[in-house]
Amino acid sequence: MLSLLRSAVAVVLVASALPVAALTPAVAPLQDHRQMIVVTTEGWDATQGRLQAYSRTATGWKAEGEAFAVSVGRSGSAWGVGLVPAANGDGPQQPGEPVKQEGDGRSPAGIFSIGTAFGYADKATTSLPYQPMLDSSYCMDVPDSKYYNRIVDAEVVGAEAVEGSTEPMRLDLHNKGDVRYRQGFVIEHNPGAEPRRGSCIFAHLWRTPGEATAGCTAMQPEHMAALLKWLDRAQKPVLVLLPRAQYQRVQHDWQLPPLAGAAE
């Protein structure tokens, strides 16, 4: 499939297929998800990572193309609110491991649905739902706002409703040509908009290679364009972001693909 991704011949990594009955109740429904983007880092405070795309086959997960470099939060990562409980006592969080909070500069860790694609252009080459950003588009990172963790149009909800937001979505117009949100997609962290648990988490472009983010995942433009072209809404794509040690801890229970270079 990664003739769609501009990369070398895919390295095939196959995970042992587990029957649904062997999975925890929280993870069994993930059998319905057939595309996965995996981002791994070297630790909770790491600001750099590697991204690998996978497709689910009849025999397990198949790597799509080669892994590439991404950057994550300027403070690293922390357990977030996603599809599988992690930080509420029912998941793999261990004492001392960080939990995502608004404004902490950490990317959320866990498994998350991939939502709407967005960008500065009117259209994009993707089968994801696409939302062109306007000068009046904002993502609400104000915890007390009724629009918290949502992208809204100030011309629809009113200028007062977006007061305090630090996330104008046309960064090029609000920040001297800033390219970061020229292409991207929503990572559906904290979908219930729990106040102060973190908001406005995206995959987007970086301005300079390796530049850390406020909590998103950033990459170079050609990699973003290839991912957007490859992602298929009908395949229910998800994004997994974890430090390597935590990934290996949950790999079996969450039925994740093996990491390159990890012991089988």
Side-chain angles (χ1 to χ4, degrees), residues 134-170:
L134 309 172
D135 184 27
S136 53
S137 298
Y138 289 82
C139 188
M140 292 306 299
D141 55 359
V142 180
D144 294 332
S145 170
K146 67 178 180 180
Y147 299 113
Y148 182 59
N149 203 25
R150 288 174 52 189
I151 297 174
V152 297
D153 185 346
E155 293 188 356
V156 174
V157 301
E160 291 185 358
V162 300
E163 286 184 1
S165 171
T166 65
E167 289 282 358
M169 296 302 295
R170 282 301 300 263

Side-chain angles (χ1 to χ4, degrees), residues 60-164:
W61 290 107
K62 169 181 165 290
E64 297 285 2
E66 295 183 339
F68 56 81
V70 295
S71 57
V72 297
R74 62 178 178 268
S75 300
S77 55
W79 286 115
V81 182
L83 292 174
V84 179
N88 64 358
D90 296 324
Q93 182 195 358
Q94 293 188 356
E97 293 181 340
V99 175
K100 174 68 184 169
Q101 301 293 330
E102 185 67 45
D104 62 3
R106 292 182 180 270
S107 295
I111 303 180
F112 309 96
S113 294
I114 291 175
T116 302
F118 61 83
Y120 299 164
D122 291 336
K123 298 179 181 179
T125 304
T126 183
S127 71
L128 294 176
Y130 179 76
Q131 183 177 1
M133 295 294 101
L134 309 172
D135 184 27
S136 53
S137 298
Y138 289 82
C139 188
M140 292 306 299
D141 55 359
V142 180
D144 294 332
S145 170
K146 67 178 180 180
Y147 299 113
Y148 182 59
N149 203 25
R150 288 174 52 189
I151 297 174
V152 297
D153 185 346
E155 293 188 356
V156 174
V157 301
E160 291 185 358
V162 300
E163 286 184 1

Side-chain angles (χ1 to χ4, degrees), residues 29 32-36 113-114 232-238:
D32 294 336
H33 299 269
R34 304 191 64 80
Q35 286 185 329
M36 180 180 288
S113 294
I114 291 175
D232 182 353
R233 184 184 188 185
Q235 302 304 308
K236 298 184 178 180
V238 294

Side-chain angles (χ1 to χ4, degrees), residues 2 7 31 41 45 48 53 55 57 61 71 81 97 107 111-112 115 119-121 129 132-133 173 195 206 216 254:
L2 247 315
S7 57
Q31 289 284 296
T41 68
D45 297 331
Q48 308 299 307
S55 293
T57 71
W61 290 107
S71 57
V81 182
E97 293 181 340
S107 295
I111 303 180
F112 309 96
Y120 299 164
M133 295 294 101
L173 302 178
W206 54 29
C216 298
W254 289 10

